[in-house]
Amino acid sequence: MKSKLLYILMSCLVFSFYSCEDSIEDATSKHVYGEDENPYLKTGVGATITNDMEFEVGRYEAQTVNLEEYTDLFQEQMNMTVDEVINGLSDGSVVFYNINVTRGHWDKTEPTKGSTGWYYNSAGGLSADSEDYVASLDIDKDAKQLIVDVADEAEAGHSFSFNVGFALNGPDYDDYVRFTFNVATIDPSLILANLSIPEGDYAAAGINLYDYADVIQYNLGLTVDEFLANLDSNEGGTIRLYVIDNETGEWDTSSDYTANPPGYWMNADGEVCSWGDDGFTLYAEVNVGDGVLNIGRAPALSAGETYKIRLGFRDTTDEMKFIRFIITATLE
């Protein structure tokens, strides 16, 4: 009896295998993306070129990336020369699109800047027209260059990223070369900083003020040592730290220090609060002895969260003498 049951069970398993053969093949076959689908972004080790670009207010000039400087990378990732890639844009064998890193896919939105480029807003997202944009990207096929520019009316303080890529056209875009552009608009008094704050309650990342000796000298007329000695954490100091409103750019001159002076606790919107208040999130404190501006985290915050805060140091005896920081802090 047991042998008969075993025979029946084995027969069922064999039948199930053959009946599912088609579905197994379907599940493992490569997905063919339609015209209206955005292919997923395959992780390509070594396929990304990062470009940090700063544009000075009042002196905006387009910056370029020469594709021929990356001949070896195109050959390695796409098995093509730069000329073949450029020619492939015309015959359709190569595509050139934006990449949505947050969603992990290519963005097949058609160009919004003429027929070969796009406009971007202050968050690095695509902008539909030339009336509401901060930066733009275009490709000069003849010069084999990518061109990044900033709108003439763009204000200082923008800091964002966008990604584009060349890929072999096929059932997917797995063979590609990607360009990441970190764009910032700056002015002589403004310091933009991107910090990654380590995990752990009250952990902090530091900005070394000695790295900005030229900015401090130009805007405040002081060496870094003189600047530190004149902070109002010391007796008689005339340089005070302030929080600046993220939306209006106004300096909060009414709040007292709420962290170790000179320093503040802030909420997720970058507004002054006190330790233990609802929503207290980040603190900013100056370690005068080391010359470091520390940005730290409150307890029990989630990894991956990003916050933007604005801080400024100003001479209380001459309001025309100041420096400002726009800090983007990401929690590890």
Side-chain angles (χ1 to χ4, degrees), residues 318-329:
D318 185 350
E319 292 191 352
M320 297 303 292
K321 294 182 177 181
F322 62 88
I323 60 173
R324 295 173 294 147
F325 289 84
I326 297 180
I327 301 168
T328 301

Side-chain angles (χ1 to χ4, degrees), residues 91-280:
D91 65 29
S93 61
V94 173
V95 296
F96 178 54
Y97 285 125
N98 283 273
I99 296 172
N100 189 318
V101 177
T102 302
R103 296 186 177 181
H105 65 64
W106 293 77
D107 186 338
K108 294 167 66 175
T109 299
E110 292 298 315
T112 56
K113 185 179 188 293
S115 61
T116 55
W118 294 272
Y119 294 108
Y120 302 91
N121 59 33
S122 59
L126 291 173
S127 184
D129 55 52
S130 60
E131 299 300 319
D132 180 26
Y133 83 102
V134 175
S136 66
L137 177 137
D138 209 340
I139 181 171
D140 185 333
K141 296 179 183 178
D142 293 331
K144 304 169 193 173
Q145 292 180 333
L146 299 180
I147 304 168
V148 179
D149 205 353
V150 170
D152 290 339
E153 62 276 13
E155 298 179 352
H158 294 297
S159 179
F160 56 91
S161 301
F162 59 87
N163 290 258
V164 296
F166 298 89
L168 289 178
N169 197 0
D172 52 55
Y173 298 162
D174 286 356
D175 299 305
Y176 66 86
V177 172
R178 167 179 155 194
F179 291 84
T180 296
F181 293 97
N182 299 318
V183 174
T185 55
I186 64 173
D187 74 22
S189 70
L190 187 64
I191 297 169
L192 302 180
N194 294 301
L195 297 179
S196 182
I197 300 179
E199 62 180 346
D201 295 348
Y202 304 107
I207 298 172
N208 190 334
L209 296 171
Y210 284 94
D211 290 341
Y212 302 99
D214 292 344
V215 178
I216 293 172
Q217 181 66 57
Y218 180 84
N219 290 282
L220 292 166
L222 301 171
T223 66
V224 177
D225 287 336
E226 291 170 338
F227 167 78
L228 294 170
N230 277 280
L231 287 175
D232 65 353
S233 58
N234 299 320
E235 186 175 349
T238 62
I239 306 297
R240 183 174 177 83
L241 173 65
Y242 297 95
V243 170
I244 300 173
D245 190 278
N246 270 325
E247 298 297 327
T248 67
E250 294 182 1
W251 295 57
D252 180 357
T253 58
S254 61
S255 295
D256 294 327
Y257 291 140
T258 57
N260 293 320
Y264 297 94
W265 275 100
M266 290 162 284
N267 61 27
D269 295 322
E271 301 166 335
V272 176
C273 67
S274 295
W275 180 90
D277 285 352
D278 288 342
F280 79 111

